[in-house]
Amino acid sequence: MLTRFFLMGLDKKAGVLLTVLAVLAVAVPFMALGTAPDSPWHLSTHTVALLGKYLCFALLALSLDLVWGYVGILSLGHAAFFTLGGYAMGMYLMRQIGSRGVYGNADLPDFMVFLNWTELPWYWHGFDHFWFAAVMVMVVPGLLAFAFGWFAFRSRVTGVYLSIITQALTFALMLAFFRNDMGFGGNNGLTDFKEILGFDIQAASTRVGLFVATVVALAIGYVLASAVVASKLGKVLIAVRDAESRVRFMGYETDRYKLFAWTLSACMAGVAGALYVPQVGIINPSEFSPASSIEAVIWVAVGGRGTLAGPVLGAVLVNFGKSYFTAALPELWLFALGGLFVLVTLFLPKGILGLAAQLRQRLPSRGAVAGTPAGQKGV
């Protein structure tokens, strides 16, 4: 029964994506660990971490597409869930430093010693255990999303008003986490991580392990999202997106369906943030920035909203371009990003994956305009 549920959403696009992920899960570890450093096929630890970061963003884009593409909720605050998951993992990594910190305090992180804190805050307890941190990675964003969605959806806040509120949410969290007395490192955030599950976090083998974990998480997230969309629940979500008032008049409690998708999406974003932190080595309040959420929207739009595979492609392509152009043309990158969003909105409303469908729709219309029916020759 459960196996059938997860397999029902797998189509041709899913097969291609999962195959690519499987190839990456094998090829990247081999190129990073099984080739000589001077080999042209060798991947450095920096490159492996960069690829892992791209896939973390892909999982974030996938989570956003679940609510934007299939429920019609344009979230401008998904960075909040991503960053909360990152902080949960960062707290675990900080607790693993122990006495190896700058101040040599085995009980308090360095920033707390610097600020003259004498004891560990109650909300840090438990984060010295990986299993607890792994649970909090999903519970914290999930609870926030549930509480937010409960009030917003029951109040029937929709459209641009809901988008503005989600942006206000992540902006408020950013301001709160910038405060030193919050106990999360202030503007410096959490960094200087040493190990994860007893493994040196800077070692090449650990970097590869984190990359493979990210690939697996993305694959699971994609299969789960595909199953939800292809199920009867998914059909209701799509109906809510297209005509919520009609669905409500038919007797469905639409706020509950939206709340489910919204909470699930937040949990997926939290997992993406948790995998992101050990690979980049830092988490700070700037990740809450509304600009980060807007970038995620751009990834989804570029790849193709409502396709699941499209946002994964869009996130990888846009961030690869960002990595290249911020080094080659740092002054022009933000203009290029804004221009890309405008061009996609005007000329590729269905994104890259929708381009082929757009072309197929336009080609017959040209023949019809010319007055020559398909299959007949002109006189």
Side-chain angles (χ1 to χ4, degrees):
M1 185 70 177
L2 191 60
T3 303
R4 182 182 178 184
F5 172 76
F6 283 108
L7 293 179
M8 70 170 62
L10 300 184
D11 54 10
K12 185 177 180 180
K13 288 185 296 185
V16 172
L17 177 63
L18 294 177
T19 300
V20 171
L21 291 178
V23 170
L24 288 175
V26 175
V28 170
F30 175 76
M31 296 171 71
L33 303 176
T35 58
D38 56 350
S39 170
W41 299 102
H42 180 72
L43 289 180
S44 65
T45 54
H46 171 73
T47 304
V48 173
L50 193 63
L51 293 174
K53 183 176 76 169
Y54 293 163
L55 295 187
C56 290
F57 289 151
L59 182 55
L60 172 60
L62 176 66
S63 71
L64 178 59
D65 190 41
L66 182 61
V67 292
W68 186 27
Y70 292 93
V71 194
I73 302 173
L74 174 56
S75 171
L76 297 180
H78 250 54
F81 309 128
F82 178 85
T83 309
L84 287 173
Y87 264 97
M89 179 56 67
M91 292 165 73
Y92 162 75
L93 295 174
M94 290 296 290
R95 295 291 286 145
Q96 299 308 298
I97 296 176
S99 59
R100 290 171 292 178
V102 175
Y103 297 100
N105 192 312
D107 299 321
L108 298 177
D110 284 338
F111 71 88
M112 291 186 183
V113 178
F114 178 78
L115 294 173
N116 296 320
W117 290 43
T118 57
E119 60 180 1
L120 196 69
W122 63 268
Y123 46 84
W124 275 78
H125 291 292
F127 280 96
D128 48 342
H129 302 291
F130 179 81
W131 68 267
F132 182 84
V135 171
M136 290 298 106
V137 159
M138 292 183 287
V139 168
V140 174
L143 283 178
L144 175 63
F146 184 86
F148 176 89
W150 176 266
F151 291 105
F153 300 146
R154 286 176 64 88
S155 301
R156 298 186 181 179
V157 180
T158 59
V160 65
Y161 303 104
L162 181 60
S163 299
I164 292 173
I165 295 175
T166 59
Q167 190 173 60
L169 172 68
T170 190
F171 188 73
L173 287 171
M174 181 184 70
L175 296 180
F177 274 67
F178 265 123
R179 296 172 57 91
N180 286 326
D181 55 6
M182 284 286 290
F184 296 107
N187 62 323
N188 293 320
L190 308 178
T191 187
D192 194 30
F193 308 133
K194 304 297 184 184
E195 63 180 40
I196 179 170
L197 291 173
F199 298 98
D200 181 6
I201 204 167
Q202 301 298 333
S205 58
T206 307
R207 295 288 186 179
V208 168
L210 289 169
F211 174 83
V212 173
T214 306
V215 171
V216 172
L218 179 57
I220 293 174
Y222 185 88
V223 171
L224 177 59
S226 298
V228 169
V229 169
S231 66
K232 293 180 180 179
L233 169 64
K235 305 305 180 186
V236 177
L237 293 176
I238 294 173
V240 169
R241 177 197 66 187
D242 296 337
E244 182 177 356
S245 58
R246 292 186 180 182
V247 176
R248 189 182 300 115
F249 291 152
M250 292 175 65
Y252 289 92
E253 297 187 38
T254 58
D255 55 315
R256 293 189 178 185
Y257 288 91
K258 294 164 69 174
L259 185 60
F260 169 80
W262 176 254
T263 305
L264 175 61
S265 175
C267 293
M268 292 170 61
V271 173
L275 291 166
Y276 170 84
V277 169
Q279 296 184 83
V280 300
I282 188 173
I283 183 70
N284 59 44
S286 64
E287 299 292 345
F288 281 110
S289 170
S292 299
S293 296
I294 295 173
E295 278 194 46
V297 171
I298 294 175
W299 306 336
V300 176
V302 169
R305 178 167 69 100
T307 60
L308 294 182
V312 174
L313 177 63
V316 173
L317 290 180
V318 173
N319 281 285
F320 174 78
K322 181 178 181 179
S323 298
Y324 176 79
F325 287 109
T326 48
L329 300 168
E331 300 87 358
L332 301 178
W333 162 246
L334 290 178
F335 295 100
L337 184 64
L340 177 65
F341 188 49
V342 172
L343 290 175
V344 167
T345 303
L346 292 177
F347 302 106
L348 293 175
K350 296 183 179 180
I352 295 175
L353 288 193
L355 180 60
Q358 281 185 266
L359 293 176
R360 285 195 300 268
Q361 290 175 356
R362 291 183 179 182
L363 288 177
S365 63
R366 292 180 180 178
V369 170
T372 306
Q376 296 185 10
K377 295 183 180 180
V379 179

